[in-house]
Each structure stands twice: as structure tokens, then as C-alpha cells.
Amino acid sequence: MPSIKDIRSRISSVKNTQQITKAMKMVAASKLRRAQEAIAGARSYSGKLEDISEDLLLGLLSAKAANVEKAKQYLPNLHPLLSEKVNDEFDGGKKTICFLVVSSDRGLCGGYNSTVLKGAWAAYKELSADTNVDVSVYTVGRKGAEFFKKRGVAVENFPNFWSGTFNVDKADIVTNRVSKEFLDGKFSEVRVVYTEFQSVLTQNLKIKKLLPMALDVEELYSRVPASSDEVKIPYKTEPNAEELFSKLLPVQLRMQFFALLADSLASEFGSRMTAMDNATRNAGEMISSMTLQANRLRQAAITTELMEIIGGAEALKG
């Protein structure tokens, strides 16, 4: 049975922990707001880029491709980012996949990391089971690197990525390396595992193929007018539309990387904010429970002393 002194000491310890979790919740909330602003800006900018690219592409398809089959042959030649590569110099022509996993550097963020890594591990095992596929794991965040290394998987990590301020220049570290290795023929595909931020309480696990950049040829060609005279592109382009389209694609890819990294960062802060809020409330409940227990022990001690005094007084009377 703990003494009153032991319980009060524990109450003091829990109060200190509660102050820390409350402060961590406030810091996470502040950083979450900035991350949400980055997401909103990235989605808006990326959406407008896609609209412009789509308008240009519809005009190009109308002029260059008479049918869907010709469109499928034409599109990959517009830009290397649109073409899937299988380099015969790598493992006898096997399909080589860059598997990029985005996690955090630190814990204390609820189930954020476990959700990402559980999904990433399942997808990695499924890809690795194919003997015609070689998978190279790249990680953003220390937790992801540690997870795969413990399971004997070689990892290329982006060290200290989340330290400091997150911005487009920081995201470019990942974008430039991955896209360069894809264009150099090291990888035929690039897939990313990350969490899409919906709200503080909701983050969705996503596994997305970023490279080669996906274009739904059938859907696009179905919107091409029968006559090129009907194509109305709301832009006067200089240089020509084909060259402009090829210059927009790398910018579009850059914004996709930035948006998914911002989503992951916001998801981490949302999970941490929720976890620290729960921890703060749990600490409050523990303090209330232990205070009640201490008061009961104190009352019992007072009652015992009174009984002893009364018993002694009665003994003296006798």
C-alpha cells in the first residue's frame, strides 16, 4: 500500500508530464497550421498546372494523333518523364522500382508511423515476391529507415530531412535525386508511400506511382474534338505548345513531390497533436484519481489518530 508521501510524489511527477504533453500539443498545433497552408498552396498551384497542361495536351493530340493507338505512341515521346524504362544493363532487364517511404524522425505521434510502415512493408513484400522486379527502398524520415534496416533491407535514406524549416527547396532534395535516377535509367518506376492529410483526426495511407507520370490516354483522347478546328486553347504560347508542355511537366512533378511531403508533415503534426491531447487528458484523470486516493488515506490516518486519542482518554477514565 503506497503512503501519502509516495502518492503525492507521483502526482507531482504526473503534473510535470502533463505540462510537457500540453506544450507539445500547442507546438504541434502551431506547426500544423503552417503545414496546412503549404498543402493548400501546393494543391491550388498543382491543380492550375494540370489544367494548363491538359489544355495544351488536348490541342497536341488533335493535331498529332489520329487515334488512341497513335496517341499512346506519341505521348511517351513528348517527355522522358512519361515513358517507362526497362534498362537491360540492370539485372537482365528486370523491372526496377524505387520504393520511397515517407515517415517521421521522431515518435510520440500516435499511430502515424505504425500505419505508414505497416502499409509500406505489406506493399514491399508484395513487390519483392515478383522475381522479375527489383525493389530499391528510399526513405524520408529516420523511423522508416530504422524499420527496414531491422528487417534486413538495404535502405537509401535522406538524412535529417525533417530538421529545420520545410519548404520547396527542401522537397527538391528528394525530387531532384529521384527524378534524375529515373531519367538516367536506374529505375523504371517510382512509387511513394505516404499519408494524405484530411483532418486532425483523419489521415489516409496512400501508395502512389509518381513516375512515369500517368496519363489516361483513352480518357484524354475521348475529349479530343473530331475536327482540329474545334480545338480552343485559351493560351497563345511562345515557344510552341509541345515545347511548353515538356517544360511544364518537371514543374508539375516538383509540385506533386512537395504536396505529398507537405501532406505527410501535416499528418505527423495532426497525429502528434491528437496523441498529446489524449496524453494530457489521461494525465488529468490520473491526477484526479491519485488525489482522491491520497485524500482517503489522509482521512483514514486522521480517523485512526482520533480513535487512538479517544481510546486513550477512555482508558484514563477507567
Side-chain angles (χ1 to χ4, degrees), residues 30-239:
S30 175
K31 291 183 176 180
L32 174 61
R33 283 193 293 272
R34 291 198 292 270
Q36 286 178 294
E37 290 171 2
I39 291 171
R43 287 177 179 171
S44 176
Y45 185 59
S46 180
K48 190 60 179 177
L49 276 176
E50 289 178 9
D51 291 342
I52 295 172
S53 296
E54 192 173 274
D55 289 337
L56 293 171
L57 190 56
L58 287 174
L60 289 170
L61 287 177
S62 177
K64 303 285 185 178
N67 52 50
V68 174
E69 290 304 317
K70 287 188 176 181
K72 288 181 179 180
Q73 296 172 6
Y74 169 69
L75 286 177
N77 295 324
L78 272 176
H79 198 281
L81 292 174
L82 294 173
S83 61
E84 184 171 329
K85 305 169 184 64
V86 177
N87 194 328
D88 293 336
E89 296 178 5
F90 288 90
D91 297 324
K94 283 185 176 181
K95 192 174 186 179
T96 54
I97 296 177
C98 172
F99 193 65
L100 179 65
V101 181
V102 184
S103 63
S104 71
D105 284 336
R106 299 181 297 151
L108 297 178
C109 49
Y112 169 71
N113 284 309
S114 61
T115 300
V116 173
L117 298 177
K118 182 179 179 181
W121 182 245
Y124 171 80
K125 288 195 295 183
E126 183 178 348
L127 289 172
S128 300
D130 189 341
T131 56
N132 293 318
V133 173
D134 277 344
V135 184
S136 296
V137 178
Y138 283 50
T139 57
V140 174
R142 183 171 54 85
K143 291 294 183 181
E146 291 176 350
F147 178 88
F148 279 91
K149 284 178 181 177
K150 285 179 181 178
R151 286 156 179 78
V153 179
V155 169
E156 288 285 341
N157 187 38
F158 292 90
N160 303 316
F161 181 83
W162 295 119
S163 61
T165 303
F166 174 73
N167 50 34
V168 176
D169 292 334
K170 181 69 74 72
D172 283 346
I173 296 172
V174 179
T175 309
N176 293 340
R177 180 173 176 183
V178 172
S179 59
K180 181 180 183 302
E181 292 182 350
F182 172 80
L183 293 173
D184 288 345
K186 184 176 180 180
F187 303 120
S188 54
E189 283 187 18
V190 175
R191 300 190 187 188
V192 186
V193 183
Y194 70 103
T195 44
E196 183 183 57
F197 180 82
Q198 294 293 326
S199 68
V200 173
L201 297 175
T202 306
Q203 300 91 34
N204 301 320
L205 178 70
K206 294 287 183 179
I207 301 176
K208 185 176 183 179
K209 184 171 82 169
L210 280 187
L211 290 171
M213 295 179 74
L215 292 174
D216 189 337
V217 178
E218 284 83 0
E219 193 276 334
L220 281 169
Y221 201 82
S222 68
R223 295 160 56 193
V224 175
S227 171
S228 59
D229 296 334
E230 299 177 33
V231 179
K232 296 180 180 179
I233 301 177
Y235 317 108
K236 292 182 179 180
T237 64
E238 180 67 34

Side-chain angles (χ1 to χ4, degrees), residues 2-57:
S3 65
I4 294 178
K5 184 178 179 180
D6 292 335
I7 294 174
R8 285 176 176 170
S9 175
R10 193 177 176 196
I11 288 173
S12 177
S13 176
V14 173
K15 282 183 177 179
N16 291 336
T17 302
Q18 187 183 43
Q19 288 179 341
I20 294 170
T21 57
K22 188 175 181 180
M24 290 180 69
K25 173 192 170 184
M26 294 173 66
V27 170
S30 175
K31 291 183 176 180
L32 174 61
R33 283 193 293 272
R34 291 198 292 270
Q36 286 178 294
E37 290 171 2
I39 291 171
R43 287 177 179 171
S44 176
Y45 185 59
S46 180
K48 190 60 179 177
L49 276 176
E50 289 178 9
D51 291 342
I52 295 172
S53 296
E54 192 173 274
D55 289 337
L56 293 171
L57 190 56

